[in-house]
Amino acid sequence: MTEEPPLSAREMIERLEPALSRARRVRAVTSLLSGLSGTAFMIALWAGEPGPLPGRTQVMFALLSVVCLAWACYGSWLLMRRVPLFATDRVIAAWIALAASLATTTALAVLAVRRGTGLVPVLAIGGLFVAAALVLAVRAHARRAALLRRARELTEAQPSTPRTHTSEN
């Protein structure tokens, strides 16, 4: 009779969830391509202007280009990872979304105040985006903490002395 040796915590975790599942690859490629195409679009619009742009318009073009680049970097980082991420990818995506929504809401609020137009709609819609991103960030952190806690439990449950494969005749 042959008994299989017990799996280590790392092996058990890797069997539970592959590092690059199909859904993760699709999400990574989508982030990478949308970030790159958004960056190319913003730079093409910015460079294609016939005359000099006002300073705040250039700031907005730069801000939107940076947001698109952040999503492209996130997608490429996700594609390059070959280990279980323990929901780190979701935490990073939530922080990118939160930073982008805060920066965009702030910039639009400053523009609304300078122009004397409606600040309430900008803050209402921007507040919804910030609140949604904040909820995603809290959920991502909670999920990551739960996965790390479970990994710690599995690691602590492993015997300190490694077992060897034994077979009986």
Side-chain angles (χ1 to χ4, degrees):
M1 174 173 224
T2 305
E3 291 183 22
E4 291 186 30
L7 297 174
S8 70
R10 171 96 28 219
E11 291 170 334
M12 191 178 300
I13 291 167
E14 287 174 356
R15 284 190 179 186
L16 290 175
E17 182 179 359
L20 282 177
S21 66
R22 181 181 202 124
R24 259 195 200 161
R25 280 193 304 265
V26 167
R27 195 170 50 206
V29 169
T30 302
S31 295
L32 177 63
L33 291 178
S34 61
L36 288 176
S37 61
T39 303
F41 181 70
M42 294 283 36
I43 291 174
L45 281 175
W46 196 0
E49 289 296 320
L53 294 172
R56 59 183 181 262
T57 305
Q58 291 194 29
V59 168
M60 288 304 290
F61 270 118
L63 174 68
L64 292 172
S65 297
V66 167
V67 168
C68 290
L69 276 175
W71 283 111
C73 290
Y74 167 75
S76 62
W77 173 79
L78 195 58
L79 281 174
M80 289 188 294
R81 297 293 294 189
R82 295 282 186 221
V83 296
L85 297 173
F86 298 110
T88 304
D89 55 331
R90 292 180 184 187
V91 171
I92 292 171
W95 279 105
I96 291 172
L98 183 60
S101 60
L102 277 171
T104 305
T105 301
T106 302
L108 290 175
V110 168
L111 285 174
V113 167
R114 282 188 164 196
R115 290 183 178 175
T117 58
L119 181 62
V120 174
V122 169
L123 291 179
I125 293 171
L128 285 174
F129 279 102
V130 170
L134 191 57
V135 166
L136 290 174
V138 168
R139 287 180 62 201
H141 277 283
R143 175 75 173 138
R144 185 175 195 292
L147 286 172
L148 289 175
R149 190 171 37 256
R150 183 66 180 140
R152 224 176 3 262
E153 289 170 3
L154 289 172
T155 304
E156 290 170 0
Q158 291 295 314
S160 58
T161 57
R163 293 186 187 177
T164 58
H165 178 67
T166 59
S167 62
E168 296 177 14
N169 291 341

